[in-house]
Amino acid sequence: MTSGRVNPQHRLEDQGITGLGNVYYNLLEPALIEAALKRDEGTLGEGGTFLVSTGKHTGRSPKDKFVVRTPSVEDSIWWENNAPMEPAAFDVLYSDMIAHMEGGDYYVHDLFGGADPAHRLDVRVVTELAWHGLFIRHLLRRPDRDELDEFTADFTIINCPTFQADPAKHGCRSETVIVLNFDKKLILIGGTEYAGENKKSVFSLLNYLLPEKGIMPMHCSANHAPGNPVDTAIFFGLSGTGKTTLSADPSRTLIGDDEHGWSERGTFNFEGGCYAKTINLSAEAEPEIYATTKKFGTVIENMVYDEETKELDFEDDSLTANMRCAYPLHYISNASSTALGGHPKNIIMLTCDAFGVLPPIARLTPAQAMYHFLSGFTSKVAGTERGVTEPEPTFSTCFGAPFMPRRPEAYGNLLREKIAKHGATCWLVNTGWTGGAYGSGSRMPIRATRALLTAALDGSLAAVDFRKDPNFGFEVPVSVQGVADILLDPRRTWADASAYDAQAEKLVQMFADNFEQYVPYIDDDVKAAAIG
């Protein structure tokens, strides 16, 4: 058995995991890449990147995710959104997985979830694949080497892609399984090589644990003004809305691109790295992120590349449109060294409206902010999935339903309380379509979006005139320097105003139908927040 730096009282044997082959503790990036290459897990790319394919799973498997149903969590889990697994089935699954692992080599990494030492989670990640160890070292926070001498995990993740679950035996849906056991402080992942399951499992843990401490866990990116963490902004948004792109503003300091907490002290990143989409990535549009695709240790996932030169093809999505790169946060030149910020001064809720109805920016009241936070609206467009022929609404509550163990109102009420206490200004920003729906209109100009965001963050937008939107009741600026006035009034951008009205009525009804599920749990002012 081989090991690196580790607390001698916290080896796997002490956790009851025995019978393995070589166990490598806390290897650094060069050693992990060497091991992954020897095991033929991937290919060395330009600049020392690691190129890998994740097989049939090129994204998360939310339908294969479970929570063990024990008395301690029975009344606090949102079971309509989290599939239950019986404790007895979990015990069999765990026993069978450990038996499957016997004799194999494994990589153990002791890491932190959370940049704030007062609220971080100490996580041990056991991986069958060396490159999964490299990935999770990027995405979680890396302890100093001397901190490992005293490290004891709060939770342990065991990821074994070659293990195939048995639905009849293990109480799951398929051979793929992701299961959280809060009582035993274990997460088991089997039957998938997609590395994102590792990081999102930690996010799900924090989403359950932190609200009990009055801390708001958020699926958002965050930045602050240079040298001024008090001027912090957070960006909620689902995939494809621009969360990573818009927060990586060269004129501001990046706190993080995906997962954060809002505590009594301010904002803190959960992670130590970024997991960015690379489809159509360019040096011109996103130079900092593009540059990471040629930096040592960056994991390049499911991208087509030239076999001889290893040059990446950012436009070929034949493997998946969900091609990604994973890299440590310090690869971004304007990243915060502490990953800490102040209480958010501005809260941005990003949506990609393929219906062409929403304005490019709107100011929200606290009740409207809760309404749109609980709604979590964006839209799929034709061609993104088989069978999708016209825009389809997607409502993912709290902008991250798959990672929410608790009921949505728990997060919505916590956000509303913090907005009220700290006086944050809330904005809804549409990065989707204007001048018509997808197929007839055009994508919102990125320059206009950036100009509007800049005006919101520097405070100048608060001084302009606003009108009340007749469909959703929020306030929309009438005129903003550097942005065409017509863009601020979506109805005027359509050639047929009556067609816009019909589309708007349709979208408002979709919102209302979706929100019915929350009506028994929220205040009257939130119920009325979408009425124009």
Side-chain angles (χ1 to χ4, degrees):
M1 182 173 290
T2 305
S3 67
R5 195 72 170 264
V6 63
N7 178 352
Q9 282 77 48
H10 193 55
R11 296 181 181 273
L12 288 182
E13 297 95 324
D14 300 311
Q15 295 180 263
I17 302 174
T18 60
L20 304 184
N22 295 315
V23 178
Y24 302 94
Y25 291 90
N26 296 305
L27 296 185
L28 301 182
E29 288 78 3
L32 289 167
I33 292 175
E34 286 181 349
L37 289 170
K38 286 179 182 178
R39 291 158 57 100
D40 198 28
E41 294 178 3
T43 302
L44 195 66
E46 287 188 89
T49 59
F50 192 72
L51 313 177
V52 64
S53 168
T54 61
K56 70 175 183 178
H57 290 284
T58 59
R60 292 179 298 100
S61 300
K63 293 181 180 179
D64 293 307
K65 184 177 177 182
F66 297 84
V67 174
V68 179
R69 193 166 200 157
T70 59
S72 68
V73 301
E74 174 68 37
D75 296 331
S76 53
I77 296 293
W78 181 23
W79 293 113
E80 294 87 348
N81 187 60
N82 294 270
M85 178 180 285
E86 293 305 311
F90 176 86
D91 291 343
V92 174
L93 175 68
Y94 176 77
S95 178
D96 287 351
M97 183 177 283
I98 296 301
H100 173 85
M101 293 165 62
E102 186 172 346
D105 293 350
Y106 284 83
Y107 299 84
V108 178
H109 286 277
D110 296 326
L111 300 161
F112 299 143
D116 186 341
H119 304 302
R120 75 187 181 203
L121 190 71
D122 295 359
V123 182
R124 165 163 282 184
V125 186
V126 182
T127 64
E128 182 179 26
L129 296 173
W131 80 263
H132 272 193
L134 177 65
F135 173 92
I136 204 62
R137 273 189 61 80
H138 292 338
L139 268 298
L140 292 185
R141 301 193 64 80
R142 300 161 290 281
D144 293 335
R145 300 297 280 174
D146 58 359
E147 289 181 293
L148 294 172
D149 295 337
E150 304 297 327
F151 186 99
T152 301
D154 298 316
F155 276 80
T156 297
I157 299 171
I158 301 175
N159 189 325
C160 185
T162 60
F163 176 78
Q164 303 288 294
D166 181 344
K169 188 177 183 182
H170 300 132
C172 52
R173 189 186 71 98
S174 72
E175 74 279 359
T176 299
V177 65
I178 305 99
V179 56
L180 288 73
N181 190 322
F182 287 101
D183 283 14
K184 296 195 172 182
K185 300 184 183 302
L186 282 171
I187 298 175
L188 306 182
I189 303 173
T192 173
E193 293 183 31
Y194 183 67
E197 299 287 11
N198 295 291
K199 92 180 200 87
K200 287 305 185 186
S201 292
V202 177
F203 188 39
S204 295
L205 279 177
L206 291 167
N207 279 331
Y208 182 77
L209 298 172
L210 292 181
E212 290 184 341
K213 301 168 69 175
I215 298 169
M216 176 67 190
M218 304 176 293
H219 187 211
C220 71
S221 56
N223 63 27
H224 67 72
N228 184 16
V230 172
D231 186 359
T232 291
I234 59 175
F235 301 75
F236 289 104
L238 297 165
S239 180
T241 58
K243 180 160 54 74
T244 297
T245 298
L246 293 172
S247 61
D249 184 337
S251 68
R252 293 175 64 86
T253 299
L254 178 67
I255 301 172
D257 84 322
D258 195 41
E259 302 169 5
H260 293 80
W262 185 354
S263 73
E264 74 287 352
R265 292 163 33 162
T267 309
F268 63 100
N269 193 353
F270 290 167
E271 301 184 306
C274 301
Y275 191 32
K277 282 192 171 184
T278 55
I279 186 168
N280 298 323
L281 185 66
S282 70
E284 294 73 29
E286 298 176 81
E288 292 261 40
I289 299 174
Y290 183 87
T292 69
T293 64
K294 295 185 180 181
K295 291 190 175 183
F296 179 79
T298 294
V299 175
I300 307 292
E301 215 176 52
N302 298 316
M303 287 193 69
V304 174
Y305 58 89
D306 186 283
E307 290 290 342
E308 182 178 354
T309 66
K310 304 301 185 287
E311 182 179 355
L312 301 172
D313 189 333
F314 293 91
E315 297 180 0
D316 189 337
D317 62 355
S318 57
L319 295 178
T320 177
N322 192 37
M323 58 181 81
R324 290 180 179 264
C325 63
Y327 51 88
L329 196 60
H330 66 260
Y331 278 7
I332 302 297
S333 63
N334 64 326
S336 167
S337 60
T338 65
L340 302 174
H343 296 290
K345 184 178 177 181
N346 286 280
I347 296 173
I348 315 297
M349 297 185 185
L350 298 167
T351 182
C352 175
D353 174 24
F355 297 86
V357 170
L358 295 175
I361 196 166
R363 185 166 60 190
L364 307 176
T365 66
Q368 289 169 341
M370 186 172 176
Y371 180 91
H372 286 278
F373 180 70
L374 290 176
S375 297
F377 168 71
T378 192
S379 46
K380 299 174 184 176
V381 297
T384 57
E385 290 185 9
R386 191 173 186 179
V388 178
T389 57
E390 62 179 54
E392 289 185 0
T394 298
F395 292 95
S396 185
T397 189
C398 307
F399 296 98
F403 324 117
M404 301 296 157
R406 298 179 182 272
R407 277 205 59 85
E409 306 81 41
Y411 307 104
N413 286 323
L414 194 52
L415 179 66
R416 189 178 182 186
E417 290 168 9
K418 289 189 175 293
I419 289 171
K421 182 176 181 179
H422 299 288
T425 302
C426 301
W427 307 91
L428 182 69
V429 172
N430 174 27
T431 61
W433 269 256
T434 184
Y438 174 82
S440 60
S442 58
R443 195 72 189 258
M444 197 71 68
I446 185 66
R447 287 186 179 182
T449 301
R450 288 193 182 278
L452 291 167
L453 276 175
T454 297
L457 299 185
D458 69 17
S460 60
L461 192 57
V464 307
D465 292 330
F466 285 79
R467 63 176 178 86
K468 184 177 180 180
D469 182 83
N471 300 305
F472 288 93
F474 42 50
E475 294 183 315
V476 181
V478 175
S479 181
V480 178
Q481 186 174 0
V483 179
D485 289 354
I486 190 174
L487 200 65
L488 297 168
D489 187 351
R491 190 172 188 268
R492 289 174 58 200
T493 67
W494 283 53
D496 183 347
S498 62
Y500 170 86
D501 292 339
Q503 187 84 320
E505 183 178 358
K506 179 180 177 182
L507 183 60
V508 168
Q509 190 60 49
M510 289 177 184
F511 266 84
D513 292 344
N514 172 73
F515 205 75
E516 281 295 318
Q517 62 187 302
Y518 307 121
V519 168
Y521 306 99
I522 45 92
D523 297 336
D524 289 341
D525 60 340
V526 179
K527 296 175 187 177
I531 299 175

